[in-house]
């Protein structure tokens, strides 16, 4: 059974008693900031490694387990994992010593029979990192048995992508707990952008089935509006959705340049040729990131502003907001393919299917965004900050 640890002790207000010196409080605040940013750094390194590795498969060919992109993948997960472990140890030691449990990464809960006191955000990010390293052994065994591979949707790869997504979810929880501070809001924006970019990748495993639409496209139509709206609600400030949209555009632009450059430079460094007859295709990972998220963000801001102008609670308009964002992304995804891929052909029927998919998926996104936002705000409610 999980037990919450209160944060009200030692706050120095009327009737309260300080149980530890100011210097320790300052150190705790520094540790909270450092832990959150190091977890996010690990997620960034892993994302860069993923984009690089996918581009390598497309431009160079199959690979083995021991490559530089894979090193980025695993080192990023290790960075997030060790940072999460450090904050769990810090919180546990404070709890055992009878000191104030630091407000770092969300509500602390007791795990492993009370052996550890873990902030829930770091527990989730740490669990994802641990699973990633565990499934890395599975991937090593897969390569040992089958040798090279050149596809994303092998069982070991899907498991790895799900683990990375779990660490990203933990990072969102961590920064949500500090949304009252500027650094927490900035970190939350980028943590959400990275999960929007990554969440559709595990769905590639479903493409082994006969589906009427690409599973990664469908996942983007669901997850992108859900996470966009959720982030705007958690941040609770005008312009929050727009900030997420701008951060997505910046991230997509940087990876668009970096991925092919890194793949080609690394291939030259290790003496491997590029594939024969390479076509002028857009970079693989950045091209699946929703380019029109910025348009959806403007629409979300408009919907919220309209609700406030009519004296409505914007939370009560989340279903409609989700549909608007879902339809924009449902239209935008095939449109960005047409605009960026010179050899792509998307028929009118497929275009319509994806656009229409935005309606039910947008409804689901609006509903889930409100529920997840409420969960994140409950983990560290403002009155306890």
């Amino acid at each position: 059974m999980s037990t919450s640890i209160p944060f009200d002790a030692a706050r120095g207000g009327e009737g309260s008693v300080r149980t530890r010196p100011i210097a320790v409080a300052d150190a705790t605040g520094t540790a909270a900031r450092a832990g959150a940013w190091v977890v996010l750094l690990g997620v960034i390194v892993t994302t860069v490694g993923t984009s690089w590795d996918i581009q390598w498969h497309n431009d160079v060919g199959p690979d083995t387990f021991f490559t530089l992109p894979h090193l980025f993948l695993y080192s990023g997960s290790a960075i997030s994992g060790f940072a999460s472990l450090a904050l769990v140890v810090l919180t546990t030691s404070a709890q055992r010593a009878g000191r104030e449990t630091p407000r770092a990464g969300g509500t602390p809960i007791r795990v492993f029979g009370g052996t550890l006191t873990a902030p829930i955000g770091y527990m989730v990010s740490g669990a994802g990192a641990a699973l990633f390293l565990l499934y890395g052994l599975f991937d090593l065994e897969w390569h040992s048995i089958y040798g090279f591979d050149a596809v994303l949707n092998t069982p070991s790869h899907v498991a790895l992508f799900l683990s990375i997504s779990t660490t990203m979810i933990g990072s969102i929880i961590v920064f949500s707990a500090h949304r009252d501070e500027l650094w927490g809001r900035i970190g939350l924006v980028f943590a959400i952008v990275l999960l929007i970019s990554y969440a559709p990748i595990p769905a590639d495993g479903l493409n082994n089935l006969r589906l009427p639409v690409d599973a990664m496209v469908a996942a983007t139509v669901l997850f992108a509006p859900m996470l966009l709206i959720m982030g705007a609600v958690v941040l609770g400030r005008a312009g929050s959705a727009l900030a997420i949209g701008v951060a997505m555009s910046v991230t997509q632009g940087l990876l668009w340049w970096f991925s092919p450059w890194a793949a080609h430079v690394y291939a030259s460094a290790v003496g491997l040729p590029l594939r024969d007859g390479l076509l002028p295709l857009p970079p693989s990972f950045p091209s699946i990131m929703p380019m029109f998220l910025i348009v959806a963000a403007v629409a979300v801001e408009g919907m919220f502003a309209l609700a406030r102008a009519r004296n409505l609670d914007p939370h009560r308009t989340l279903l409609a907001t989700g549909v608007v964002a879902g339809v924009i992304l449902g239209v935008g995804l095939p449109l960005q393919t047409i605009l960026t891929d010179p050899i792509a052909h998307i028929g009118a029927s497929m275009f319509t299917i994806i656009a229409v998919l935005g309606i039910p998926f947008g409804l689901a996104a609006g509903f889930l965004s409100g529920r997840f936002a409420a969960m994140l705000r409950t983990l560290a409610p403002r009155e306890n900050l």
Side-chain angles (χ1 to χ4, degrees):
M1 180 176 178
S2 300
T3 304
S4 298
I5 310 298
F7 299 114
D8 294 330
R11 297 190 73 80
E14 182 179 353
S16 65
V17 178
R18 289 194 179 277
T19 59
R20 59 189 177 91
I22 292 295
V24 177
D26 292 341
T28 298
T30 300
R33 287 191 295 272
W37 285 112
V38 173
V39 168
L40 184 62
L41 173 64
V43 169
I44 292 171
V45 171
T46 298
T47 303
V48 170
T50 301
S51 185
W52 187 358
D53 188 53
I54 293 173
Q55 197 65 37
W56 174 272
H57 281 290
N58 289 339
D59 290 358
V60 181
D63 62 8
T64 61
F65 182 82
F66 298 100
T67 64
L68 194 54
H70 284 180
L71 177 62
F72 266 64
L73 280 165
Y74 287 94
S75 62
S77 186
I79 289 170
S80 296
F82 282 121
S84 301
L85 178 61
L87 267 294
V88 170
V89 170
L90 175 66
T91 305
T92 300
S93 63
Q95 186 271 328
R96 289 184 177 181
R99 301 193 304 269
E100 175 194 5
T101 305
R103 182 177 69 85
T107 307
I109 60 175
R110 305 292 290 276
V111 294
F112 299 121
T115 303
L116 296 175
T117 303
I120 189 168
Y122 290 111
M123 186 187 72
V124 174
S125 62
L131 287 172
F132 183 87
L133 297 177
L134 177 64
Y135 286 126
L137 298 177
F138 179 24
D139 191 45
L140 177 60
E141 182 66 16
W142 181 274
H143 280 283
S144 299
I145 295 173
Y146 298 105
F148 297 110
D149 65 33
V151 294
L152 290 178
N153 54 10
T154 64
S156 60
H157 286 172
V158 172
L160 288 170
F161 296 143
L162 286 171
S163 302
I164 295 169
S165 299
T166 302
T167 298
M168 291 179 173
I169 292 170
S171 179
I172 289 175
I173 296 172
V174 167
F175 282 106
S176 294
H178 300 279
R179 68 185 185 277
D180 61 321
E181 301 175 77
L182 178 60
W183 68 266
R185 295 192 292 274
I186 294 173
L188 180 58
V189 165
F190 283 99
I192 289 173
V193 164
L194 292 173
L195 185 57
I196 290 175
S197 305
Y198 219 97
I201 297 180
D204 190 40
L206 298 175
N207 282 326
N208 292 313
L209 306 174
R210 293 183 178 275
L211 300 175
V213 65
D214 187 288
M216 294 176 68
V217 171
T220 302
V221 175
L222 173 63
F223 289 123
M226 181 191 77
L227 292 168
L228 173 66
I229 298 169
M230 181 198 77
V233 173
V234 172
L235 289 167
R237 295 165 180 261
S240 297
L242 191 59
I244 294 171
V246 171
M248 169 62 76
S249 297
V250 172
T251 303
Q252 186 176 32
L254 289 173
L255 288 176
W256 200 287
W257 162 79
F258 173 81
S259 302
W261 175 83
H264 297 178
V265 168
Y266 183 47
S268 177
V270 297
L272 290 176
L274 301 179
R275 288 181 184 270
D276 293 333
L278 277 179
L279 298 173
L281 300 176
S284 301
F285 182 81
S287 65
I288 66 173
M289 297 166 67
M291 185 179 295
F292 286 84
L293 189 77
I294 185 70
V295 179
V298 172
V300 170
E301 293 289 347
M303 293 288 289
F304 284 179
L306 181 62
R308 289 191 293 268
R310 296 185 176 182
N311 295 320
L312 299 175
D313 182 355
H315 295 182
R316 295 185 178 276
T317 65
L318 291 182
L319 292 180
T321 304
V323 170
V324 171
V327 170
I328 289 173
L329 291 170
V331 173
L333 285 172
L335 183 59
Q336 78 179 52
T337 300
I338 294 171
L339 293 175
T340 60
D341 190 342
I343 65 172
H345 175 72
I346 297 180
S349 59
M350 181 57 64
F351 197 105
T352 303
I353 290 173
I354 299 173
V356 171
L357 197 65
I359 298 175
F361 277 26
L363 281 170
F367 175 80
L368 293 173
S369 65
R371 297 302 185 271
F372 290 142
M375 291 167 61
L376 291 173
R377 295 173 71 89
T378 301
L379 287 170
R382 286 189 182 278
E383 57 268 23
N384 287 342
L385 294 176

